[in-house]
């Protein structure tokens, strides 16, 4: 298993190489060598998304790759290409509509032909909403509308989150009248959340669940919302990054 991480864009491979050692890969040679010194016996493989051959070396011996390195509009295509060349399964945690839509449009046929799983949006944003909507549908063949509402107490964006927002201005889709349309977000409304949030103002949110849900659940309308507190955090340039959980900065 390989995991491409936004923290230093390091790729940790838990598979075994020919010598029975764990391999470590990343784009930053100095950081990678330092990690190699800390994990004696590990094979070091420098790799970047703009060097296909280096990605092939990085993924060699892995059974699957989990891409956690955004902005995904930059990383999904080269990593999926490498996964397909290696014949290994691919998952990511993207929430960017444009990136996820591009995955379906570009790689659906290639993944099917190669018998390789390519599964974007397997995370809180997108994946969880899709799972809940699918469970709520149960054995119904179709519904009139799917509404998703998310409540957070705050949202402290990482540098990667900020950069993702900058790279995706205006590229927003809603699903209405049985088709994806470039349009404004759904109008604001009130939503009655369970405790501790209660009734709150929510605004339309256009994340990747709009893309995935519309591809397998029958409904003419999909609406997604979030309460105002985290939206205001994201919009405020002075909102600090999240606090690290340990000395590594992760």
């Amino acid at each position: 298993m390989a995991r491409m991480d936004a923290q230093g864009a390091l790729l940790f491979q838990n598979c075994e190489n020919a010598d029975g050692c764990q391999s470590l890969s990343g784009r930053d040679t100095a950081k990678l060598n330092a990690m190699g010194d800390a994990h004696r016996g590990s094979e070091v493989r420098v790799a970047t998304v703009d060097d296909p051959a280096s990605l092939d070396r990085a993924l060699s011996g892995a059974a699957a790759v989990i891409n956690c390195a955004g902005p995904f509009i930059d990383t999904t295509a080269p990593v999926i290409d490498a996964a397909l060349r290696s014949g290994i399964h691919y998952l990511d945690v993207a929430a960017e509509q444009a990136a996820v839509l591009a995955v379906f449009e570009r790689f659906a046929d290639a993944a099917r032909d190669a018998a390789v799983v390519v599964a974007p949006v397997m995370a809180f944003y997108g994946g969880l909403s899709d799972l809940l909507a699918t469970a709520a549908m149960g054995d119904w063949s179709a519904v009139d509308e799917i509404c998703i509402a998310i409540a957070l107490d705050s949202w402290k964006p990482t540098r990667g989150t900020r950069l993702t927002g900058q790279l995706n201005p205006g590229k927003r889709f809603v699903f209405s009248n049985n088709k994806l349309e470039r349009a404004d977000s759904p109008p604001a409304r009130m939503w009655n959340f369970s405790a501790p949030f209660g009734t709150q103002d929510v605004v339309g949110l256009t994340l990747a669940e709009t893309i995935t849900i519309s591809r397998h659940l029958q409904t003419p309308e999909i609406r997604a919302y979030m309460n105002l507190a985290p939206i205001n955090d994201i919009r405020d340039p002075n909102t600090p990054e999240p606090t690290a959980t340990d000395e590594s900065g992760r």
Side-chain angles (χ1 to χ4, degrees):
M1 180 70 71
R3 180 169 71 93
M4 177 170 275
D5 195 336
Q7 182 70 22
L10 287 170
L11 182 70
F12 302 91
Q13 293 189 201
N14 295 322
C15 58
E16 299 297 317
N17 62 24
D19 298 324
C21 297
Q22 184 179 41
S23 57
L24 305 170
S25 183
R27 65 186 176 191
D28 189 309
T29 303
K31 290 181 179 179
L32 190 59
N33 287 334
M35 181 165 286
D37 290 341
H39 298 274
R40 294 293 183 181
S42 298
E43 180 186 356
V44 171
R45 305 173 182 177
V46 178
T48 62
V49 293
D50 57 359
D51 182 351
S54 72
L55 287 176
D56 292 344
R57 289 192 297 271
L59 297 184
S60 176
V65 58
I66 304 173
N67 183 7
C68 306
F72 291 93
I73 200 167
D74 294 329
T75 66
T76 50
V79 178
I80 292 174
D81 275 330
L84 290 174
R85 288 193 299 270
S86 298
I88 65 174
H89 304 304
Y90 170 94
L91 294 87
D92 69 38
V93 297
E96 303 159 46
Q97 285 189 333
V100 174
L101 185 59
V103 168
F104 282 105
E105 292 178 342
R106 177 173 173 180
F107 295 107
D109 291 341
R112 190 178 300 112
D113 292 344
V116 167
V117 173
V118 174
V121 205
M122 294 292 100
F124 179 84
Y125 294 113
L128 178 58
S129 298
D130 194 327
L131 176 64
L132 293 173
T134 303
M137 287 261 309
D139 58 1
W140 292 353
S141 61
V143 293
D144 294 334
E145 183 181 37
I146 293 176
C147 286
I148 299 156
I150 299 169
L152 305 176
D153 54 7
S154 65
W155 189 346
K156 295 180 179 178
T158 64
R159 186 174 64 87
T161 300
R162 296 282 194 200
L163 182 59
T164 296
Q166 295 169 13
L167 292 177
N168 287 272
K171 299 176 182 178
R172 301 288 183 264
F173 295 92
V174 296
F175 190 79
S176 185
N177 298 314
N178 281 303
K179 62 180 183 293
L180 282 173
E181 300 177 336
R182 288 204 175 200
D184 295 330
S185 299
R189 59 178 290 182
M190 301 291 291
W191 196 281
N192 185 24
F193 294 99
S194 58
F197 292 100
T199 301
Q200 296 202 20
D201 292 318
V202 296
V203 295
L205 193 68
T206 51
L207 291 176
E209 53 263 60
T210 303
I211 308 298
T212 60
I213 291 174
S214 65
R215 290 187 169 260
H216 72 102
L217 297 181
Q218 296 301 310
T219 180
E221 305 286 331
I222 301 173
R223 304 293 185 187
Y225 301 91
M226 181 177 283
N227 61 326
L228 288 177
I231 297 296
N232 291 335
D233 285 341
I234 288 290
R235 290 174 176 169
D236 183 356
N238 296 316
T239 301
E241 292 189 5
T243 303
T245 61
D246 57 37
E247 294 179 354
S248 73
R250 189 174 303 282

